[in-house]
Amino acid sequence: MNSKLIFICDRATLSDPGSYGFSVEQNGEPVEGFVVKSNYAYFAYRNSCPHTGSPLDWVEHQFLDADETLIQCAVHDARFIIDSGECISGPCLGESLQTLPIVVQDDGIYLQGS
Ligand code: FES
């Protein structure tokens, strides 16, 4: 198994709560994703809404709703639970964002290679 780590960003990049969109390359393929920090924990998902496959953010790095308690898709306003990625309102109700495996270290947040 390849345990290569791909750097996403410094931990200080994210406030709490906060979100950060990224684009990295893994095995020659682009990975578009975002990281959310909430209650000291980090979560990462592909930047692809289960409704249409569109990116969730219209404003760069903004993936949270106004209360910063849910992930929001800016296209048709779907809302997702931060720590599970499950859609709880909107056109893709009951579907989920695709989780990305991350590793959080002192020097940064990394995508876990496969
Ligand atoms: S594309 Fe996300 S709610 Fe429609």
Side-chain angles (χ1 to χ4, degrees):
M1 185 174 130
N2 182 353
S3 61
K4 187 174 162 205
L5 299 179
I6 301 164
F7 182 76
I8 295 173
C9 63
D10 292 323
R11 292 197 319 181
T13 303
L14 285 110
S15 51
D16 189 349
S19 58
Y20 178 79
F22 64 88
S23 177
V24 296
E25 193 168 296
Q26 184 178 43
N27 301 327
E29 299 287 331
V31 177
E32 312 286 339
F34 62 97
V35 180
V36 175
K37 185 178 183 186
S38 176
N39 293 322
Y40 307 102
Y42 297 86
F43 308 91
Y45 299 99
R46 285 191 190 276
N47 189 7
S48 174
C49 182
H51 181 215
T52 68
S54 154
L56 282 79
D57 57 323
W58 277 350
V59 177
E60 193 177 25
H61 304 308
Q62 261 186 38
F63 294 87
L64 298 178
D65 65 359
D67 294 340
E68 298 187 307
T69 55
L70 292 168
I71 295 167
Q72 177 177 18
C73 178
V75 184
H76 305 110
D77 205 25
R79 307 290 171 106
F80 305 86
I81 296 172
I82 289 175
D83 60 3
S84 70
E86 182 187 351
C87 178
I88 55 166
S89 86
C92 43
L93 181 67
E95 297 185 64
S96 293
L97 298 167
Q98 297 171 60
T99 304
L100 288 172
I102 54 170
V103 176
V104 181
Q105 298 185 343
D106 286 348
D107 64 346
I109 302 168
Y110 294 84
L111 182 65
Q112 174 84 58
S114 57

